[in-house]
Amino acid sequence: MDVGTIGAGTVAQAVAGHLVAAGHRVVLSNSRGPASLEDVLARLGPLARAGTAAEAAAAEMVILAVRWRDVPAALEGLPHWNGRILVDATNHIVGQTPADLADLGGESSSEIVARHAPGARVVKAFSTLYGQYIAADPRHAEGRQLLFYAGDDAEAKTIFQRTFAGVGFAPVDAGPLGEGGRLMQVGGGLLSALHALKQD
């Protein structure tokens, strides 16, 4: 599969590392341009390359991993999504601590992200895990790292589930984008920061 990342920080690099290890091709992008990612690419190997946000967004699946305040600018001006999958890995933190949260007006943060990406099939994932847990091998002697996800499109969720089960996670469907997204989001979601293993 071709996967893109919008944002190339800790979470995006961790996800990209698992994907290239499983044989997927990844295009990473950030606001500083492809030249800023040379060290990252050297570590990830030949299946990873740097590109523009538009190039990353052209992939079959795209990981959105930017700060909350940067979401509108990161998604603005991209080509129409035409049903491509957008994995929302953001959290609506606007300050220095997880207690500094944006007012979502009763919506889930991913419903807001979806409005900024018309035509995308949005799947919420990775926002409940700290970066070090995403980067680590999801396969442990005791079991596999649970990976919660939510979305409204059944096919998109199936593709997400198969892709990340294939790299070693134990994906768990948390429901639709609204209800499931609220369960997952920081600041009261029951699944937020829940790190657990599935015993196979």
Side-chain angles (χ1 to χ4, degrees):
M1 177 177 285
D2 290 316
V3 181
T5 77
I6 298 176
T10 301
V11 170
Q13 291 181 37
V15 175
H18 292 306
L19 289 168
V20 298
H24 301 285
R25 296 175 298 273
V26 180
V27 179
L28 295 102
S29 72
N30 65 9
S31 60
R32 293 178 293 156
S36 67
L37 296 171
E38 290 181 1
D39 290 344
V40 175
L41 300 180
R43 187 174 71 253
L44 291 175
L47 288 178
R49 69 178 181 89
T52 65
E55 289 173 320
E60 301 164 72
M61 181 185 293
V62 183
I63 313 298
L64 177 66
V66 298
R67 292 174 295 189
W68 181 252
R69 66 174 179 266
D70 296 330
V71 166
L75 295 175
E76 185 180 6
L78 296 177
H80 193 277
W81 285 86
N82 290 324
R84 295 189 308 284
I85 299 170
L86 178 63
V87 178
D88 174 24
T90 67
N91 278 305
H92 63 293
I93 298 169
V94 293
Q96 298 299 314
T97 75
D100 300 319
L101 301 175
D103 182 358
L104 302 178
E107 292 184 284
S108 72
S109 59
S110 288
E111 289 174 306
I112 294 173
V113 167
R115 286 209 305 272
H116 287 285
R121 296 185 291 172
V122 177
V123 176
K124 179 73 168 177
F126 294 108
S127 61
T128 65
L129 296 172
Y130 291 116
Q132 67 264 32
Y133 291 98
I134 300 173
D137 189 339
R139 294 167 290 248
H140 302 265
E142 298 82 6
R144 291 178 292 146
Q145 173 69 57
L146 292 183
L147 176 61
F148 297 104
Y149 65 98
D152 294 333
D153 187 281
E155 182 185 41
K157 289 204 290 186
T158 297
I159 294 170
F160 176 88
Q161 187 276 332
R162 289 176 179 168
T163 300
F164 288 99
V167 304
F169 286 95
V172 177
D173 189 344
L177 202 60
E179 179 184 345
R182 280 186 286 274
L183 286 172
M184 295 165 65
Q185 67 192 24
V186 67
L190 295 178
L191 303 179
S192 178
L194 176 60
H195 300 284
L197 301 177
K198 178 183 179 181
Q199 293 180 317
D200 293 312

